[in-house]
Amino acid sequence: MAVGFGDTTQDRRVRVLGEPVDTYPRLAPEVERGAVRRITVVGEEILRRRCREVTQFGTPELSQLVDDMFATNQVAEGAGLAANQVDVDLQLFVWDITDEWGVRHVGHIANPVLDEVPTEQRRLVEEPEGCLSVPGPYRVVPRLDRAVVRGRDKNGKPLVIEGRGYFARCLQHETDHLHGRLYLDRLAQRERKAALREMVASKDEMFARRAALAKKLGK
């Protein structure tokens, strides 16, 4: 069972695809198997269109894509990564993130759909947010403090993933990507322009850091 929204003190086990496991390595197994791909950057057309649904499950190609996305996310020091961020037009994202309560969440999901949260249960939290496709800047973005996303794993098995806090933010951010939206779109025009200027100034340093981490991992 996935960690419940009210569970902040009990089970600290790693959640893999929403299920607690007793042991888990520091590097996800997918990272070991995967190859690092180039991360797309704001301005590229693939980041601005709705991605296609995954229709073929259980294939070597889909498994390799998941592995490669994990490896790419690892060297970029990301919390999550969507398929269009590695130039693949599919509704798929991965995550490896530790929430505010010390629980690590690891997994992937295809064709994700966020549940609607009833108005009376909506609570927006304003926290800094960044994006691997906007290398460098962070900006405060309001997001719901809880999220439930439904989809399928790479073999077609139905998934329901629940998140709170930082993990909920990740689920919403990555689902946005698959609809062609970036966190920049949630900013006022002035803030958006300032973030883009900051990105231009810092992206070379970020790219060099990623390359160094990839080399360290032998990727």
Side-chain angles (χ1 to χ4, degrees):
M1 179 182 294
V3 60
F5 290 140
D7 179 7
T8 61
T9 60
Q10 301 298 319
D11 195 339
R12 291 290 187 273
R13 288 180 294 173
V14 176
R15 264 66 174 183
V16 178
L17 294 177
E19 297 293 337
V21 296
D22 291 329
T23 62
Y24 198 76
R26 184 184 68 83
L27 285 181
E30 294 90 342
V31 174
E32 303 285 357
R33 299 190 299 260
V36 175
R37 302 195 186 193
R38 184 186 72 87
I39 296 178
T40 53
V41 178
V42 59
E44 297 186 44
E45 189 270 339
I46 195 169
L47 292 173
R48 284 305 187 185
R49 67 173 186 260
R50 182 183 176 90
C51 294
R52 296 181 296 110
E53 286 193 1
V54 177
T55 57
Q56 294 184 318
F57 294 92
T59 66
E61 292 80 9
L62 187 60
S63 291
Q64 188 63 59
L65 175 58
V66 169
D67 290 349
D68 291 355
M69 289 170 66
F70 266 95
T72 305
N73 187 59
Q74 179 69 34
V75 302
E77 301 175 288
L81 186 73
N84 56 358
Q85 292 183 275
V86 292
D87 206 26
V88 176
D89 181 21
L90 285 177
Q91 292 184 23
L92 173 74
F93 68 80
V94 305
W95 65 88
D96 189 340
I97 180 175
T98 300
D99 65 25
E100 296 94 317
W101 299 277
V103 178
R104 183 182 176 191
H105 303 268
V106 183
H108 68 276
I109 192 167
N111 305 336
V113 177
L114 285 166
D115 280 5
E116 286 290 332
V117 178
T119 303
E120 65 275 12
Q121 296 179 19
R122 287 173 171 258
R123 188 172 80 89
L124 287 176
V125 177
E126 296 189 355
E127 296 286 351
E129 188 169 319
C131 178
L132 300 182
S133 291
V134 189
Y138 280 74
R139 291 295 184 275
V140 172
V141 178
R143 295 276 189 187
L144 294 173
D145 71 338
R146 57 177 61 184
V148 176
V149 67
R150 301 174 189 270
R152 295 184 180 275
D153 71 9
K154 63 184 180 182
N155 296 312
K157 179 182 176 182
L159 289 175
V160 180
I161 305 296
E162 301 180 1
R164 294 171 301 131
Y166 188 37
F167 185 37
R169 178 173 295 273
C170 176
L171 296 175
Q172 293 168 82
H173 177 110
E174 301 306 332
T175 301
D176 268 359
H177 269 302
L178 304 182
H179 292 269
R181 296 192 295 262
L182 299 171
Y183 86 93
L184 296 174
D185 301 328
R186 297 179 178 271
L187 303 178
Q189 185 177 19
R190 179 178 294 181
E191 275 290 286
R192 185 163 57 248
K193 288 182 176 180
L196 289 171
R197 287 194 299 269
E198 187 177 326
M199 183 196 78
V200 169
S202 62
K203 66 179 181 178
D204 288 347
E205 180 182 346
M206 298 294 294
F207 293 159
R209 180 178 177 85
R210 293 174 186 177
L213 287 172
K215 184 177 181 180
K216 186 176 180 180
L217 282 176
K219 301 292 184 179

